[in-house]
Amino acid sequence: MRSVIVVSGRNESLVRYCTDVLLSRIGVAQVIRVDASDAPFKSLTTELGASSVFDEHKVIIFDNAQKSIEFHEMEWYASYPTPGITLILTANNIRRSDGERWIPSSSKVLYIDCANITEDSLHEFLRLSGIPDSDIVWLIDYFAGDIDDVIRIIELCRVFKNLPAGGV
């Protein structure tokens, strides 16, 4: 897994879902989530700083990265990432307003573009969520591939799965 990941797409639910699937695959104890609307990228400096040998792996999610204009800092961090930290940038587009990718100078960045999801890739996302194939086919057929509806159903299933026996 790369130290810097950009998850992009115009569908906010799908971007959030892709990020959740990534988090479940990475398996971390500590997740810090910061929204670019609330804080600039440089506010992450302390979190992105050197980690101790005794620290557990942590993930920092910088949501709505398209609202930040501090591209040079993102590029610098991608070139010199801190061991033990994964930085996930979420954005509504895989490219910045100037047409460049979010971090163009680094091949160390993993880009996940959720903008053009197909039925096959939706099937794969659902499989990664642990949903049986027969249920996946039914979900996709029933909702005619409407990604928002499918993701809402998955989120509801997670809620009900985590309820204590006997209901609420």
Side-chain angles (χ1 to χ4, degrees):
M1 187 64 71
R2 297 198 183 146
S3 297
V4 180
I5 303 169
V6 177
V7 181
S8 67
R10 289 178 287 281
N11 184 308
E12 196 173 313
S13 298
L14 186 58
V15 170
R16 186 173 14 92
Y17 181 70
C18 289
T19 305
D20 288 348
V21 170
L22 269 173
L23 289 174
S24 70
R25 293 294 167 220
I26 294 171
V28 294
Q30 185 179 9
V31 177
I32 299 166
R33 188 170 227 131
V34 178
D35 194 296
S37 303
D38 301 331
F41 186 77
K42 66 175 85 174
S43 68
L44 299 178
T45 307
T46 333
E47 296 298 337
L48 292 171
S51 60
S52 162
V53 176
F54 303 106
D55 286 347
E56 293 187 52
H57 183 228
K58 85 175 137 179
V59 173
I60 299 172
I61 301 171
F62 190 60
D63 284 319
N64 300 307
Q66 73 273 2
K67 295 180 180 176
S68 177
I69 56 168
E70 300 170 89
F71 306 127
H72 63 284
E73 292 177 357
M74 292 179 202
E75 289 181 49
W76 184 89
Y77 183 77
S79 298
Y80 306 100
T82 304
I85 295 177
T86 300
L87 173 64
I88 299 176
L89 303 168
T90 69
N92 60 7
N93 198 323
I94 203 160
R95 298 194 181 277
R96 307 181 310 206
S97 58
D98 63 3
E100 288 285 340
R101 284 187 165 217
W102 279 98
I103 304 173
S105 63
S106 176
S107 61
K108 299 176 184 178
V109 178
L110 172 64
Y111 285 92
I112 301 172
D113 187 359
C114 302
N116 299 316
I117 192 159
T118 64
E119 193 170 300
D120 289 340
S121 51
L122 179 59
H123 195 276
E124 189 58 31
F125 282 127
L126 296 172
R127 181 178 290 127
L128 286 172
S129 297
I131 297 174
D133 282 345
S134 58
D135 294 341
I136 292 171
V137 171
W138 181 86
L139 273 172
I140 292 173
D141 287 346
Y142 185 80
F143 290 106
D146 186 327
I147 295 166
D148 283 331
D149 285 341
V150 172
I151 291 172
R152 276 189 219 106
I153 294 299
I154 293 168
E155 289 171 348
L156 282 172
C157 289
R158 286 183 183 162
V159 168
F160 286 113
K161 180 181 174 185
N162 293 326
L163 286 178
V168 182

